[in-house]
Amino acid sequence: MTIMQKVYWVIATLGNLLAINYMLNASGLFASLLLVCSLIYTVVGYYDIHHSPHTLNRLYPVVAYLRYFLESYRVEIQQYFIANDTEETPFNREQRSLVYQRSKNVRDTIAFGTQRNLLEDNYLSLWQSLHPKAVNDTAKRVKIGGPDCKQPYQACYFNISAMSFGSLSANAIESLNLGALKAGCYHNTGEGGVSPYHLKHQGDIVWQIGSGLFGCRDDAGNFNPESFKAMATRPQIKMIEIKLSQGAKPGHGGVLPAAKITDEIAAIRHIPKDRDCVSPAVNPECTTPKDLLNFVARLRELSNGKPVGFKLCLGNPVEFLGLCKAMIETGITPDFITVDGAEGGTGAAPVEFTNRLGMMCLEGVYFVHNALTGAGLRDKIKIIASGKTASSFDLLAKIAMGADTVNAARTMMLSLGCIQSRHCNTNLCPTGIATQDPARSKAINVIAKSERVKNYHQNTLKSFFELVGSMGLDSPEKLQPHMLKRRTPYGLLMSVGSLIEPLQSNDLVNGKSLAGPWNEWWNMAQAEDFYSEDVYILSPAELSRPRKQG
């Protein structure tokens, strides 16, 4: 027997006898409580030893529950008492504190030097100029709209990324949209459709259409052009985004648990309420590159010429180059492409998908920028980076790598009061943000929280423009990948992207001989089918890139 089994039998026999004897000879509340505790311990321990399905309970009766109790609060204990300011994931305390401070308009500076290890491998940094400049006001918006767009949109550099009503509560959606209105940025609906809470405060909306076609589907789940047009032509809808995949779970459909599906959500999405809402992994309207582009053109026409684009997390590079070939062959180009990062986001997903699939945001943005440039398409298409963004440096890094604007989701939730408890998929969010429990969500004060969203957005954007100016630039458009410096394992600095061959306009279509895998990837790409075998064997870029002869 284990020592706790022996303790159990001692308490169940001798302990109970002593407790009974004590109560008979010394009446009082304490004696009664002692006997009650002894009897409860005996009953619970008997169940654990003889009937519990858990091995720990059988070997360590009663006290095993202490382990389960402590384990249930492990994340909170780690977060509040153990972790330092820079080691937590996905957002460490330094990052969360920065969001909280900026959202509350309180001091966000630090004293006594950095806590970061500046010699850490892959640490990113910038070189400042001795001649700082102020960013021109005319350079603080980005025009999104290609040659076929009739209603281009002037976007902010920093925007609210896709978070669905259903995943988030009504009050959270209202707070984000009102915050977007105050901040002058757009608010992406996520794939759950446009709800009344997205529309209530008149903030600019990007309507995301996922593989479930929520908000524009018929009873059979097929695309409904009439319902799409009725919503897309509303003045508040500024752009339409087709979701092919997302960074949290590339290659996997979305899931909204039945516990979070209310009558209202079921009506908005046009889905049944009695089972989980599962979106397919493949958008039924976009099964091939040309199908996707034809769908883009159709949505643009139905929306009276508003910007239409698509969102994806990069995987096999050949497949994206197939999309570029399809654009060239059909003459149809999206107005924007949103590149999501494998860092994940607000969406819950299987561990293997979150941890192991997809390109990171900076890698994906850099590849898409170069691919579009090499295919002669970059001037027609804007790139939106949707990845982990907490600070103005995160924003700047994505712009430098080739993005035109940036979306953020989780840090916008933090500005609402999210505490990173990671209960988003349980309907038990402690802050009322990621839940459909009205008792929890009503705690969100829409007016107050929208102010925090606005403050975080504006303070981060202000810092971003100051950071750009500190580099001697008067416009974010002048940022280049080589301006980002990465610490190598040898302790030296290198320019980000310097070991990867950047492309010039039309390099791919002109058949130029290019270093690295570009030519082979381009030759393997096909416009008729997304899938392409991953047969190219990658090798370290520093070994494969030819050196210039002196």
Side-chain angles (χ1 to χ4, degrees), residues 475-540:
S475 172
E477 291 183 350
K478 295 182 179 180
L479 290 166
Q480 297 291 326
H482 66 264
M483 296 177 182
L484 277 179
K485 314 301 179 187
R486 186 188 299 275
R487 185 71 64 179
T488 71
Y490 307 104
L492 303 175
L493 287 177
M494 60 170 274
S495 294
V496 173
S498 64
L499 297 181
I500 303 172
E501 186 72 15
L503 300 186
Q504 301 300 315
S505 183
N506 291 301
D507 274 355
L508 292 172
V509 294
N510 289 339
K512 180 180 177 182
S513 179
L514 302 168
W518 283 113
N519 288 126
E520 292 197 42
W521 280 343
W522 183 253
N523 291 333
M524 286 188 286
Q526 51 187 339
E528 288 73 27
D529 191 4
F530 277 120
Y531 178 74
S532 179
E533 290 188 84
D534 186 4
V535 296
Y536 183 86
I537 300 175
L538 288 172
S539 59

Side-chain angles (χ1 to χ4, degrees), residues 106 146 243 324 471 536:
V106 299
K243 193 190 90 168
C324 293
M471 299 170 67
Y536 183 86

Side-chain angles (χ1 to χ4, degrees), residues 161-306:
S161 194
M163 292 175 280
S164 302
F165 172 58
S167 175
L168 268 57
S169 66
N171 280 19
I173 293 293
E174 279 196 47
S175 301
L176 289 172
N177 192 257
L178 182 55
L181 177 68
K182 294 176 178 179
C185 66
Y186 66 69
H187 177 198
N188 192 305
T189 65
E191 66 174 308
V194 183
S195 73
Y197 311 105
H198 288 101
L199 301 173
K200 182 176 179 179
H201 299 287
Q202 298 299 308
D204 288 353
I205 288 292
V206 174
W207 180 13
Q208 184 184 95
I209 299 174
S211 56
L213 303 173
F214 303 127
C216 55
R217 54 187 269 155
D218 59 22
D219 293 336
N222 300 314
F223 178 67
N224 185 329
E226 288 76 22
S227 60
F228 171 81
K229 184 172 183 177
M231 180 61 70
T233 52
R234 285 174 174 252
Q236 193 179 344
I237 308 296
K238 302 301 182 182
M239 301 195 295
I240 293 95
E241 178 181 84
I242 304 164
K243 193 190 90 168
L244 302 180
S245 63
Q246 66 185 92
K249 45 193 169 186
H252 192 282
V255 178
L256 181 65
K260 296 181 75 172
I261 302 177
T262 64
D263 291 332
E264 186 176 33
I265 291 171
I268 291 169
R269 296 194 177 202
H270 209 89
I271 56 172
K273 182 187 174 187
D274 58 349
R275 57 181 179 271
D276 291 349
C277 175
V278 180
S279 306
V282 178
N283 192 309
E285 299 289 328
C286 310
T287 55
T288 70
K290 290 185 177 179
D291 284 345
L292 168 61
L293 296 177
N294 287 328
F295 193 49
V296 167
R298 188 180 183 192
L299 297 189
R300 189 186 287 131
E301 181 181 358
L302 289 170
S303 64
N304 293 336
K306 292 184 178 180

Side-chain angles (χ1 to χ4, degrees), residues 184-492:
C185 66
Y186 66 69
H187 177 198
N188 192 305
T189 65
E191 66 174 308
V194 183
S195 73
Y197 311 105
H198 288 101
L199 301 173
K200 182 176 179 179
H201 299 287
Q202 298 299 308
D204 288 353
I205 288 292
V206 174
W207 180 13
Q208 184 184 95
I209 299 174
S211 56
L213 303 173
F214 303 127
C216 55
R217 54 187 269 155
D218 59 22
D219 293 336
N222 300 314
F223 178 67
N224 185 329
E226 288 76 22
S227 60
F228 171 81
K229 184 172 183 177
M231 180 61 70
T233 52
R234 285 174 174 252
Q236 193 179 344
I237 308 296
K238 302 301 182 182
M239 301 195 295
I240 293 95
E241 178 181 84
I242 304 164
K243 193 190 90 168
L244 302 180
S245 63
Q246 66 185 92
K249 45 193 169 186
H252 192 282
V255 178
L256 181 65
K260 296 181 75 172
I261 302 177
T262 64
D263 291 332
E264 186 176 33
I265 291 171
I268 291 169
R269 296 194 177 202
H270 209 89
I271 56 172
K273 182 187 174 187
D274 58 349
R275 57 181 179 271
D276 291 349
C277 175
V278 180
S279 306
V282 178
N283 192 309
E285 299 289 328
C286 310
T287 55
T288 70
K290 290 185 177 179
D291 284 345
L292 168 61
L293 296 177
N294 287 328
F295 193 49
V296 167
R298 188 180 183 192
L299 297 189
R300 189 186 287 131
E301 181 181 358
L302 289 170
S303 64
N304 293 336
K306 292 184 178 180
V308 178
F310 55 84
K311 172 183 177 179
L312 78 169
C313 177
L314 263 289
N316 186 346
V318 178
E319 297 179 355
F320 184 82
L321 291 176
L323 256 173
C324 293
K325 281 189 173 181
M327 294 178 201
I328 294 171
E329 289 184 18
T330 63
I332 301 171
T333 55
D335 297 290
F336 64 91
I337 297 174
T338 303
V339 181
D340 208 0
E343 304 92 305
T346 57
V351 172
E352 297 86 353
F353 280 74
T354 294
N355 289 349
R356 303 295 178 181
L357 289 184
M359 287 191 195
M360 294 179 65
C361 187
L362 290 183
E363 295 170 334
V365 166
Y366 186 67
F367 174 81
V368 169
H369 169 70
N370 278 286
L372 293 176
T373 300
L377 300 166
R378 185 64 178 93
D379 60 333
K380 300 177 181 179
I381 303 169
K382 290 293 189 287
I383 298 174
I384 302 173
S386 177
K388 183 179 175 182
T389 304
S391 69
S392 59
F393 176 79
D394 300 331
L395 176 58
L396 183 146
K398 294 175 178 63
I399 302 294
M401 292 299 278
D404 294 288
T405 66
V406 174
N407 292 348
R410 288 172 290 181
T411 46
M412 293 297 178
M413 289 173 63
L414 290 173
S415 72
L416 288 179
C418 169
I419 59 172
Q420 195 173 273
S421 67
R422 292 183 285 175
H423 292 307
C424 308
N425 57 336
T426 66
N427 208 32
L428 298 175
C429 172
T431 58
I433 296 171
T435 180
Q436 295 305 308
D437 182 349
R440 293 171 182 264
S441 62
K442 71 179 182 181
I444 298 177
N445 184 314
V446 172
I447 303 300
K449 295 301 185 182
S450 68
E451 280 294 312
R452 292 196 177 186
V453 172
K454 180 202 73 174
N455 292 340
Y456 167 63
H457 175 275
Q458 292 189 338
N459 288 327
T460 301
L461 207 55
K462 177 184 176 183
S463 176
F464 166 68
F465 291 131
E466 289 177 347
L467 203 56
V468 171
S470 74
M471 299 170 67
L473 306 176
D474 58 10
S475 172
E477 291 183 350
K478 295 182 179 180
L479 290 166
Q480 297 291 326
H482 66 264
M483 296 177 182
L484 277 179
K485 314 301 179 187
R486 186 188 299 275
R487 185 71 64 179
T488 71
Y490 307 104
L492 303 175

